[in-house]
Structure formats: structure tokens, C-alpha cells
Amino acid sequence: MYSPLMSIGHTLLGLLESGPCHGYDLKRAFDEKFGHDRPLHYGQVYSTMSRLLKNGLVEVDGIEPGGGPERKRYAITEAGVTDVQRWLATPEKPEPYLQSTLYTKVVLALLTRRDAGDILDTQRAEHLRMMRILTDRKRKGDLADQLICDHALFHLEADLRWLELTAARLEKLAEVVTK
């Protein structure tokens, strides 16, 4: 499984396949295509590029003087292209959510004789609020935003189904966990 840092590295490598770029241009391209909610910090770009350079996945294609430090132009190496191809071909590990915080809160509420139904109701309201925000964003967004929002909405819908199922089983769950 790749860490989020590795996916940033692979994404920057993939962007470099279209041609050599400066770190500034890579950050701008990343933010435009993928950073709608979490743009990269410049330090993150340059530390990632330094690691990719050290690992032989990119090379410095040129250095230009600038108003501040010299500007390096990076190019992907054959090893970098191979690494991106391997990453693209590797499926992401599905997240089974087998130890969810929400489940823990419900069980602890039952164990401490609090109203677990209130916790589920509060969470349901928060999920619905987020779904309204995402639906509005999807309606106003471009295709990339629509796809990103659909992904999040489908996960929230699954969570809502779980909330309903758990609410229907609260008495039984209370019997089991308070034995």
C-alpha cells in the first residue's frame, strides 16, 4: 500500500511525463488537477522532488537563475516512468472501515448508559449536511469536481445505511455489549 506521500510523488512524476517542469509549475499543475480541497505546499513539492531525485526517478534538466534561489527544471527518468506505470497498475487497497470511530462511540455510549440513538441522530444530521454541501459543489463544478463529489457522496450514502441499520439494532447491540 502506498502512503499519501508516495501518491503525491507518483502524481508529480506522472505530471512530468508531459515534459520537464520547475517545481512551481508542478505545484500549479497539481493544484489545478488534483488539489481542489488540499493544495500542495511549496515545501512539500520540493521535498518530494528532492526524494525523487535521490531515488533516481527524476533528474535536473536545467538550472536557471531567478530573483531568489536558482530554479531547477526537473525531468522524469526511465526509472520514473516505470515506477509511475507500476503504481498506476497497482489497485488501491479497499478501506473496509472495520474499526470505525463511530462504532466505538455507539458502543461506549451503550456501555456508559448514554443515549446511543442521539449519537446516531447527530451523526446522521452531520452526514446529511455534508451531502448537501457536496451536492451543491457537484452541481456547480466541472467534471473533475463532479467525479470527486460522487465518490464522497457514495461513501456518505453507505454510512447513512449503516447508521439506519445500527439504529434499528440498538436494543440488540445494547444487550450484547452490556452483558
Side-chain angles (χ1 to χ4, degrees):
M1 185 170 94
Y2 291 96
S3 69
L5 185 58
M6 281 305 294
S7 66
I8 290 170
H10 285 109
T11 304
L12 294 176
L13 283 172
L15 291 171
L16 279 173
E17 283 199 49
S18 63
C21 290
H22 295 97
Y24 172 84
D25 297 321
L26 283 170
K27 180 207 178 327
R28 202 174 72 222
F30 182 97
D31 289 351
E32 180 183 304
K33 301 283 186 207
F34 311 108
H36 293 99
D37 296 313
R38 292 176 45 188
L40 287 179
H41 296 286
Y42 284 104
Q44 201 172 6
V45 172
Y46 292 110
S47 64
T48 301
M49 295 311 296
S50 176
R51 182 177 42 80
L52 295 173
L53 186 64
K54 182 178 132 201
N55 292 336
L57 303 175
V58 298
E59 61 192 9
V60 175
D61 186 59
I63 299 177
E64 302 166 8
E70 295 178 330
R71 296 183 61 208
K72 293 179 185 173
R73 189 174 55 243
Y74 298 95
I76 192 168
T77 63
E78 284 303 313
V81 171
T82 300
D83 200 54
V84 170
Q85 180 57 40
R86 183 174 34 250
W87 179 67
L88 290 173
T90 303
E92 291 297 308
K93 181 180 180 206
E95 295 292 332
Y97 302 108
L98 291 178
Q99 271 301 351
S100 84
T101 303
L102 186 53
Y103 173 77
T104 302
K105 286 182 173 186
V106 169
V107 170
L108 283 175
L110 293 170
L111 287 172
T112 59
R113 307 281 188 242
R114 290 182 173 91
D115 190 342
D118 284 350
I119 291 170
L120 294 172
D121 290 343
T122 300
Q123 192 63 50
R124 184 182 305 104
E126 184 61 18
H127 271 62
L128 291 171
R129 185 187 72 77
M130 181 56 66
M131 290 176 83
R132 285 190 296 277
I133 290 168
L134 289 169
T135 299
D136 186 54
R137 176 176 163 182
K138 177 182 166 181
R139 193 176 324 133
K140 295 174 183 173
D142 60 10
L143 181 59
D145 242 9
Q146 291 168 13
L147 290 170
I148 289 167
C149 289
D150 279 340
H151 185 261
L153 285 165
F154 293 148
H155 281 276
L156 290 169
E157 287 173 7
D159 288 349
L160 282 175
R161 286 194 308 272
W162 182 85
L163 289 166
E164 295 302 323
L165 181 66
T166 303
R169 294 177 172 174
L170 266 183
E171 278 186 43
K172 182 76 172 162
L173 182 61
E175 291 173 15
V176 172
V177 299
T178 57
K179 281 186 187 180

